[in-house]
Amino acid sequence: MAQQAVAAAPAQETRHQGGVPTWKRVLRYTVVRTIGLFFAVVMGVYLTILIANMGGYVDKIRMAEIQERVSIRFMNDPTFRQLPEEERRKRIEAEIALEAKRLGMDKPFLVRSFLYLRNALTLELGFAERMTSDTGSRQVRLIILERIPPTLLVFATANLFLFFISLGIALYLSRNYGNLLDRFFVATSPLSSAPAWFYGLFLIVIFAAWLRVLPFGGMVDIPPPPTRWGYFLSLLRHLILPVSALVLSALFISVYSWRTFFLIYSSEDYVEMAVAKGLHPRLVERRYILRPTLPTIITSFALTLISMWLGAPIFETIFNWPGLGRTYFQAVGFFDTPVIVGITVIFAYLLAITVFLLDIIYALVDPRVDIGGARRQQG
Amino acid sequence: MFRQVWREMRRYPSAMFGLTVIIFLVLLSIYAVIKYPYQEAIRLWRGGEDIWGDTPKLVPPRWYNWFRREKLPDTIILTSDSPQVEVVPQPSKKKGVWVDHYLMRFDFPYDDFPQEIQVTLTATYEKKAPFVVLVWVRPDGEEIRLKNATVKEGRFRYRVLQDTKLHQRLKLPRTINNIVGIMAQDPQAKPPKPMKGTYTLRLEVYRFGENDKIQAKMVAYGKVYGWAGTDHLRRDLSVALLWGAPVALAFGLLAAVGTTVTTMIIAAIGVWFGGWVDAVIQRITEINLVLPVLPILIMIGVFYSRSLWVMLGAVIALSIFGASIKTYRAMFLQIKAAPYIEAARAYGAGDFRIILLYMVPRIIPTLIPSLVTLIPSFVFLEASLAVLGLGDPVLPTWGKVIDDARVNGALYQGLYYWILEPSFMLMITGIGFASLGFSLDRIFNPRLREL
């Protein structure tokens, strides 16, 4: 879906703001976007909860949590230990009913859904049913938090590579329009219809299974190397295949569409004017071609990035990468509902943060973007 | 107009390539549906020993042999009814005992050993169960007695590899199995080679009633099978590879058309009514952008249903407010200002009449390229779900084959055909549609044509 170079950033009020300094413009824009995106996240999470609770699953999580908490309290309390079995059970049940009432479990779903929303937004994600974090905790929040860094590591590395490699090749091709390499990229652009995990599969077949030069998956060797340097090297070795798969999956289409943008923009009159003035080709490229295309390129890059993000569960499963996506897949295998709902919520957050960061970059490179300016009357 | 597009398309090799691939896939789908109707495909794919008893386990396709000097054996199946099996009645020494020799002869011109040799005997008898001696005769004439057996309760099955007593009698070291023991010239050679020539499995059958009957079947499981190979459940992969085509095409096409059409109508409604309707649609689009689609689909798969059609509905529902609304919006804004819309309004056309009959049809030609380009992403989405174990529970699809292969360690065991075959099908589907879509894009968007 990334092929369509659609404006991810909403149609902003575009207006030239002659004297407003960049930081002020970006700051104002940031504030407005934060509010807008926060609203989007709230709605997204609420929708997720509605979908998850269509079969009463969130309710089940909450009830299980209450039951567990009450039972543990009774078990740890010596005064209750003396009571006969029957009596104690009755008291526990009464207590659970009371607790459920206190937390609003007796209220209609509409009211409760907002309670869940508050919990989800404040990351009170409850307790896992079967899974534990590496530190042994069953708090969903902890399970998720310790899985975020590996995911960020692989996706951020890949995206950095992707952006600069694509930009470099696209610029080169637009300079050498029509040569063999250019035609190669035009011809291979359909290859990007396959997602990253698919390339991962091929890379694993070639480099791990057949040539046996790189590991099949995982993040470090088992057992992990004792020294910090060794650990780092092992991590790098394990990063090669996943990062290459991510880059490969989007490279062809990015190069093809960016090169096309460059070519379109380089046929503008002002570029020809600049060339006629005798400016250095590199300067023309930087100031007259790259600058106006950058917003379009960032938008197309944003969509690529988002579609990559969404593929994380399957991508990390293929590479056995201990990130958020694989944990999601494991949770699916365990039927561990709290973790599934929790990670879905986190994904919504991560997506929003991605969109937000790209919006800010967008505002930084495109001087026309300014929301606040629409309301302020220009003197 | 079609003729014009066709003339344009013929100028693009990539368009012709894409079209060829798509036509091939469509023909393949038609063939698949005719060869294995829906119910039959499901029955085959879910079948167990009863359907896939005679196919070898985890073997590559037959064309694998083209790339090897040493030919891997095919599966050989002989039953007592087949013409090359000779039944020779023997003179009986005892009264009340009837003796027959079943001579099951087969040629073995291959360079590798069979995966396993299995003999199944079924008998109908009056009083006493028939008694059978299994003798293996090699091309050089040497005879090896494999087993003596009583066909108790009318059924007896013998597998050469599992016969530990035979292993002891042949005095083989632990590293050499029975098949090598009974077929190799020199079992100790490295690597051992099977003797080529005609082997005979002689069944010496002793019946204790004149009308007692015995049926025999020998299967020498090969190391290649069919044109697609088999999986861990002995299933012929060609069923899944064939059936994957109609499933992928149907899913991709329906999802692409469904999302494009709904998105387009929503965009048209927003543009036509403007004001708060437009604003609400824009905000929903923004919310939709932060919705984690794949995780939500996984959630639906886990909690509710894995059926392909439920997933299709969910996919369409989640992309109604997709990012492409913005592109359509820009197009509709131009159309809205066109004079013919004004004219339609003047003669009193209703809102929805204008949207559905005047605005939407106008942008359909420009939509076709993006629609074609969208198809592979949905084909791969279906495969992604299947690889996560959330494929349709009954239908065989390409993604499910990849999932089976991955889960059963095809990569570690070097069973590359298992993963590469469905991947290849997915790949050509993806490239086919994408090439056609990109070329169409160039044809419909003249600005791109020169580039």
Side-chain angles (χ1 to χ4, degrees):
Chain A
M1 275 164 262
Q3 287 95 330
Q4 298 171 311
V6 184
Q12 278 95 15
E13 292 293 329
T14 53
R15 180 168 300 193
H16 287 277
Q17 293 275 299
V20 182
T22 305
W23 69 267
K24 219 169 168 183
R25 183 173 59 81
V26 172
L27 188 74
R28 198 162 52 210
Y29 175 70
T30 308
V31 172
V32 176
R33 281 303 285 154
T34 314
I35 296 167
L37 267 173
F38 180 73
F39 179 68
V41 169
V42 172
M43 289 306 292
V45 172
Y46 190 64
L47 268 177
T48 309
I49 288 171
L50 286 187
I51 294 171
N53 208 41
M54 262 193 287
Y57 285 97
V58 180
D59 287 342
K60 248 199 259 169
I61 304 175
R62 301 278 293 157
M63 273 317 281
E65 212 183 296
I66 292 170
Q67 270 164 8
E68 178 167 315
R69 205 166 52 223
V70 171
S71 315
I72 288 176
R73 198 168 70 219
F74 270 73
M75 258 172 4
N76 292 342
D77 194 335
T79 49
F80 290 112
R81 247 180 248 157
Q82 316 297 332
L83 288 173
E85 180 75 20
E86 190 70 12
E87 175 72 16
R88 198 170 62 186
R89 214 180 42 228
K90 231 186 248 167
R91 283 203 184 195
I92 290 179
E93 267 164 24
E95 187 74 5
I96 287 173
L98 197 69
E99 188 77 4
K101 192 164 188 275
R102 184 176 78 82
L103 290 170
M105 295 297 287
D106 55 341
K107 292 201 179 71
F109 175 66
L110 199 67
V111 181
R112 269 180 295 133
S113 65
F114 286 105
L115 254 137
Y116 297 152
L117 179 65
R118 196 193 64 203
N119 282 348
L121 287 176
T122 52
L123 295 185
E124 300 242 349
L125 300 170
F127 290 89
E129 279 163 14
R130 287 178 196 84
M131 299 172 80
T132 56
S133 70
D134 286 348
T135 47
S137 167
R138 281 183 52 201
Q139 272 197 48
V140 173
R141 185 174 23 178
L142 291 182
I143 295 178
I144 290 174
L145 280 180
E146 78 186 9
R147 289 285 154 245
I148 289 181
T151 298
L152 285 184
L153 175 69
V154 67
F155 281 92
T157 318
N159 283 316
L160 274 180
F161 272 111
L162 176 67
F163 186 80
F164 288 107
I165 293 177
S166 303
L167 200 63
I169 300 180
L171 271 177
Y172 171 80
L173 293 184
S174 73
R175 260 180 250 137
N176 300 282
Y177 162 62
N179 76 358
L180 200 65
L181 196 68
D182 185 42
R183 273 182 305 187
F184 169 78
F185 270 97
V186 173
T188 50
S189 55
L191 281 177
S192 282
S193 58
W197 65 265
F198 195 72
Y199 283 94
L201 219 55
F202 279 108
L203 290 180
I204 292 176
V205 167
I206 296 170
F207 291 101
W210 185 41
L211 296 175
R212 308 231 165 229
V213 286
L214 287 169
F216 276 91
M219 199 166 84
V220 285
D221 289 330
I222 297 170
T227 58
R228 185 168 288 185
W229 180 240
Y231 190 92
F232 179 70
L233 279 184
S234 166
L235 184 65
L236 274 190
R237 241 169 71 80
H238 284 78
L239 261 176
I240 296 175
L241 284 189
V243 168
S244 321
L246 282 171
V247 171
L248 265 183
S249 73
L251 182 72
F252 300 106
I253 187 70
S254 301
V255 167
Y256 171 70
S257 56
W258 296 5
R259 141 203 181 278
T260 309
F261 290 144
F262 289 143
L263 286 174
I264 289 175
Y265 275 85
S266 53
S267 60
E268 295 281 352
D269 291 342
Y270 57 80
V271 179
E272 308 208 334
M273 168 78 181
V275 175
K277 262 199 316 196
L279 291 181
H280 193 270
R282 289 295 150 98
L283 190 70
V284 173
E285 194 166 81
R286 216 169 44 234
R287 201 179 282 167
Y288 294 86
I289 301 176
L290 206 50
R291 193 78 209 260
T293 30
L294 219 45
T296 332
I297 283 182
I298 286 175
T299 306
S300 106
F301 182 65
L303 284 178
T304 312
L305 213 159
I306 288 168
S307 71
M308 266 189 194
W309 250 132
L310 292 177
I314 173 153
F315 179 77
E316 290 179 359
T317 306
I318 292 278
F319 277 105
N320 211 7
W321 190 263
L324 208 52
R326 198 188 59 149
T327 311
Y328 191 83
F329 178 62
Q330 286 170 337
V332 168
F334 284 130
F335 256 86
D336 205 325
T337 324
V339 183
I340 296 176
V341 175
I343 296 183
T344 311
V345 170
I346 293 291
F347 265 119
Y349 266 116
L350 286 173
L351 269 178
I353 292 169
T354 314
V355 172
F356 177 69
L357 284 179
L358 286 161
D359 271 355
I360 291 180
I361 298 174
Y362 195 95
L364 276 173
V365 298
D366 190 348
R368 289 168 302 181
V369 173
D370 185 18
I371 287 186
R375 255 172 272 124
R376 259 174 30 139
Q377 288 296 317
Q378 271 216 296
Chain B
M1 185 195 149
F2 282 107
R3 190 165 295 171
Q4 200 185 334
V5 171
W6 171 243
R7 210 175 319 132
E8 284 280 339
M9 263 170 66
R10 290 226 316 245
R11 286 179 41 227
Y12 290 94
S14 57
M16 295 326 284
F17 167 75
L19 208 61
T20 315
V21 169
I22 293 168
I23 290 171
F24 165 73
L25 285 171
V26 170
L27 291 180
L28 195 69
S29 309
I30 294 171
Y31 174 70
V33 176
I34 291 171
K35 187 168 182 199
Y36 307 111
Y38 187 75
Q39 288 304 328
E40 173 73 2
I42 291 175
R43 191 183 69 85
L44 283 177
W45 197 244
R46 309 198 77 189
E49 193 87 335
D50 49 328
I51 295 173
W52 302 109
D54 296 341
T55 45
K57 193 174 178 178
L58 292 175
V59 296
R62 205 173 272 153
W63 44 264
Y64 206 65
N65 267 338
W66 301 348
F67 308 105
R68 295 174 59 98
R69 185 119 45 82
E70 299 184 341
K71 302 300 173 204
L72 296 172
D74 230 329
T75 300
I76 297 162
I77 301 174
L78 287 175
T79 61
S80 41
D81 303 327
S82 29
Q84 61 267 58
V85 174
E86 212 180 320
V87 182
V88 189
Q90 300 287 319
S92 175
K93 286 168 199 143
K94 242 164 134 187
K95 206 169 171 278
V97 181
W98 288 264
V99 186
D100 295 314
H101 282 187
Y102 288 60
L103 300 175
M104 306 181 108
R105 287 201 193 90
F106 63 94
D107 266 332
F108 195 83
Y110 308 103
D111 301 302
D112 201 346
F113 297 92
Q115 197 176 49
E116 165 69 301
I117 297 170
Q118 176 179 288
V119 182
T120 317
L121 301 170
T122 43
T124 46
Y125 55 89
E126 271 169 32
K127 286 183 208 125
K128 199 173 167 202
F131 179 76
V132 181
V133 178
L134 280 70
V135 181
W136 183 254
V137 188
R138 304 209 299 195
D140 60 357
E142 194 185 325
E143 295 197 357
I144 301 167
R145 192 171 50 79
L146 297 177
K147 181 87 181 167
N148 303 344
T150 312
V151 190
K152 277 183 215 144
E153 287 158 20
R155 200 170 164 78
F156 173 75
R157 180 181 287 167
Y158 174 70
R159 290 197 177 107
V160 172
L161 271 186
Q162 289 173 1
D163 189 347
T164 46
K165 280 188 184 144
L166 177 69
H167 198 259
Q168 283 164 13
R169 263 190 288 131
L170 292 170
K171 300 197 178 62
L172 292 170
R174 199 142 24 104
T175 49
I176 295 172
N177 69 38
N178 285 344
I179 303 263
V180 177
I182 63 171
M183 289 184 75
Q185 190 100 47
D186 172 19
Q188 310 278 2
K190 271 179 191 149
K193 286 254 170 232
M195 241 180 260
K196 290 185 188 180
T198 308
Y199 287 84
T200 312
L201 178 70
R202 192 171 72 226
L203 304 177
E204 298 172 359
V205 178
Y206 297 83
R207 290 177 293 143
F208 304 105
E210 193 163 13
N211 298 323
D212 290 1
K213 283 205 172 61
I214 198 150
Q215 284 280 325
K217 180 171 165 189
M218 185 211 73
V219 184
Y221 295 100
K223 281 183 176 164
V224 287
Y225 185 84
W227 58 268
T230 60
D231 66 4
H232 61 306
L233 299 174
R234 299 178 184 276
R235 294 179 296 197
D236 183 357
L237 287 179
S238 69
V239 177
L241 291 184
L242 277 178
W243 251 87
V247 172
L249 287 191
F251 190 86
L253 204 67
L254 288 176
V257 170
T259 56
T260 316
V261 169
T262 47
T263 311
M264 196 167 63
I265 291 173
I266 296 275
I269 289 175
V271 168
W272 180 249
F273 290 106
W276 65 270
V277 181
D278 198 25
V280 166
I281 289 175
Q282 297 255 43
R283 290 293 89 73
I284 297 179
T285 312
E286 231 166 275
I287 294 168
N288 203 77
L289 199 65
V290 296
L291 273 190
V293 178
L294 187 63
I296 287 181
L297 285 181
I298 293 174
M299 212 160 71
I300 292 172
V302 175
F303 292 159
Y304 308 114
S305 160
R306 292 179 181 196
S307 153
L308 197 68
W309 312 116
V310 172
M311 284 295 170
L312 183 67
V315 167
I316 294 177
L318 282 173
S319 22
I320 288 177
F321 288 95
S324 42
I325 273 194
K326 304 224 149 125
T327 340
Y328 301 151
R329 196 170 167 272
M331 293 184 200
F332 280 129
L333 278 174
Q334 282 177 1
I335 292 171
K336 194 186 172 187
Y340 79 101
I341 299 281
E342 192 91 16
R345 195 145 45 160
Y347 80 69
D351 288 335
F352 284 94
R353 191 181 163 82
I354 291 180
I355 290 171
L356 294 176
L357 295 179
Y358 290 79
M359 289 170 75
V360 170
R362 196 52 204 283
I363 69 163
I364 283 178
T366 44
L367 269 189
I368 291 171
S370 69
L371 195 143
V372 175
T373 326
L374 258 180
I375 292 175
S377 63
F378 290 112
V379 172
F380 277 108
L381 181 69
E382 190 273 326
S384 306
L385 287 171
V387 172
L388 285 172
L390 295 171
D392 190 273
V394 290
L395 274 175
T397 67
W398 295 330
K400 275 171 82 176
V401 176
I402 297 181
D403 180 41
D404 280 342
R406 225 180 51 78
V407 170
N408 292 292
L411 286 177
Y412 303 99
Q413 296 173 35
L415 304 164
Y416 303 133
Y417 71 95
W418 198 2
I419 267 191
L420 291 180
E421 284 172 2
S423 304
F424 174 76
M425 296 303 284
L426 279 170
M427 197 80 217
I428 62 160
T429 311
I431 294 178
F433 279 103
S435 325
L436 182 66
F438 285 10
S439 320
L440 284 177
D441 205 18
R442 260 174 277 172
I443 293 167
F444 284 106
N445 291 325
R447 201 169 180 198
L448 293 170
R449 197 173 299 172
E450 299 305 315
L451 308 173

